[in-house]
Amino acid sequence: MKEKLMGIIPLIVALMFVVGIGTFNGPSYAATATQTVTVTVPEAISIQVPDVNFGSVAAGSTGTSPSFTINNTGNVKIDLYVRADASAFTSPTATDTIGIENFSIFSNVTGSYLTFLTSSQKIYDNMNKAQQGTGNPATWSTTLRLTVPSFTEDGVYTITNTYTAVKHNGAAPSP
């Protein structure tokens, strides 16, 4: 019996070796794995607004400014707001003023002229972002209108307006 057992053991070892070689395909030279790559592009809100010169507007009449263009140079759609920084145009040489109740801007939101306030008012809703790749800005052209009261003293009158862009449907700027 011992001899039979001694003859079977090498046979079992040989079978295990053959079965082991049959299931081994050699070394692995390729494998597949996946990777998720993430990047965050921060929002960049940026606008350009030129200065405007009405030229001469006679006392007692209404003038319209030359058309001017506002550029959205940022990477998000925006809503555009404007406010007058003072309640009147002033002059360093004249004692009269021209109140902002006589001053308006053509609005994309209303489709008509909107009288200036010293608090922010929306004048453009959902302006496109600058063009991807080229950076060409989205543009909007508008005009201002000013009525100069009768008998306003001669001189150069100025006022500063503040334009504020916020991400479309974002919170309106506080006055």
Side-chain angles (χ1 to χ4, degrees):
M1 168 110 174
K2 213 177 185 188
E3 292 167 1
K4 285 185 184 179
L5 199 55
M6 291 308 272
I8 292 178
I9 290 179
L11 182 60
I12 291 174
V13 169
L15 280 174
M16 287 177 59
F17 182 74
V18 169
V19 168
I21 289 178
T23 59
F24 181 71
N25 292 329
S28 175
Y29 294 107
T32 302
T34 60
Q35 176 187 49
T36 300
V37 178
T38 305
V39 63
T40 300
V41 177
E43 122 185 346
I45 298 176
S46 174
I47 57 173
Q48 296 171 333
V49 181
D51 290 339
V52 174
N53 185 338
F54 270 89
S56 293
V57 178
S61 63
T62 300
T64 301
S65 74
S67 179
F68 64 97
T69 300
I70 298 172
N71 296 314
N72 180 0
T73 55
N75 67 353
V76 296
K77 290 182 177 185
I78 61 168
D79 295 335
L80 187 62
Y81 293 79
V82 69
R83 68 178 169 82
D85 287 355
S87 60
F89 285 75
T90 58
S91 171
T93 60
T95 56
D96 288 338
T97 61
I98 303 171
I100 61 173
E101 67 275 4
N102 298 314
F103 186 39
S104 57
I105 185 168
F106 190 83
S107 167
N108 160 278
V109 175
T110 64
S112 60
Y113 281 90
L114 186 65
T115 301
F116 272 85
L117 302 173
T118 55
S119 58
S120 294
Q121 300 180 87
K122 187 188 281 191
I123 58 169
Y124 198 103
D125 183 63
N126 199 19
M127 186 177 199
N128 281 329
K129 67 175 192 65
Q131 193 173 57
Q132 184 182 17
T134 65
N136 290 335
T139 62
W140 175 55
S141 293
T142 190
T143 56
L144 301 170
R145 185 180 288 161
L146 178 65
T147 299
V148 178
S150 298
F151 307 104
T152 299
E153 186 177 358
D154 70 318
V156 176
Y157 292 79
T158 59
I159 195 166
T160 301
N161 301 321
T162 297
Y163 292 81
T164 304
V166 298
K167 188 172 185 177
H168 177 57
N169 289 330
S174 45

